């Protein structure tokens, strides 16, 4: 029957479309690109997501919400949560060329939307601040256990990690050599025993 909307799994659509936005950027991703990626017609997609902007926001929330939940769960279940934090950074050295070229979707979003769409920029900022808060909690615990050296506060060290996360996600686009990335990462994590 012509015009009948296609039934689809929202989670799958959000995952596929946010990956496309991440790879190409928001502005460079057309509605046709999105429809082709999820094999839907415009009506089906926009009945659930009223616009490309709303689709991006929903995808960003789904991706980052899940990522933060999984990260917090891994930290809570680990006997060595600081190693989990270190591994988050060290994993960049093992990432594929494509992953390195994509960088961090939060950093990309902040850069692309600053001065253009403050609401979307603030969504990305909020997720980075939530990550910073998670770092602060576990750094505070590690300092009490003697696993973190130095006199800097947990809050300062968490901000350092956020700054480093943003920086390494640009640097990984420049230096693709694993050892170069490992050297940079290890140097920036040297405050952790």
């Amino acid at each position: 029957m012509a015009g009948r909307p296609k039934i689809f799994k929202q989670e799958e659509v959000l995952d596929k479309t946010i990956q496309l936005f991440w790879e190409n950027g928001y502005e460079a991703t057309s509605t046709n690109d999105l429809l082709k990626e999820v094999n839907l017609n415009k009506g089906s997609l926009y009945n659930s997501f009223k616009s490309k902007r709303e689709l991006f926001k929903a995808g960003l929330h789904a991706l980052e919400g899940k990522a933060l939940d999984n990260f917090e769960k891994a930290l809570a279940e680990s006997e060595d949560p600081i190693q989990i934090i270190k591994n988050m950074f060290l994993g960049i050295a093992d990432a594929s060329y494509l992953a390195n070229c994509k960088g961090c979707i939060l950093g990309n979003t902040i850069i692309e939307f600053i001065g253009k769409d403050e609401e979307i920029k603030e969504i990305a900022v909020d997720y980075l601040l939530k990550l910073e808060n998670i770092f602060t909690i576990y750094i505070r615990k590690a300092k009490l256990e003697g696993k973190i050296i130095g006199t800097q506060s947990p809050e300062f060290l968490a901000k350092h990690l956020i700054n480093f996360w943003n920086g390494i996600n640009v640097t990984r686009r420049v230096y693709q050599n694993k050892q170069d990335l490992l050297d940079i990462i290890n140097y920036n994590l040297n405050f952790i025993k």
Side-chain angles (χ1 to χ4, degrees), residues 20-37:
L20 192 62
F21 281 126
W22 191 354
E23 190 173 323
N24 299 333
Y26 178 82
E27 286 297 330
T29 303
S30 71
T31 301
N32 286 337
D33 295 333
L34 295 166
L35 296 173
K36 184 177 175 185
E37 183 69 21

Side-chain angles (χ1 to χ4, degrees), residues 165-184:
W165 179 253
N166 289 318
I168 197 67
N169 275 292
V170 173
T171 300
R172 72 197 289 195
R173 294 171 174 175
V174 177
Y175 299 106
Q176 297 287 320
N177 179 281
K178 179 177 180 172
Q179 192 56 54
D180 288 341
L181 289 170
L182 283 173
D183 290 345
I184 294 165

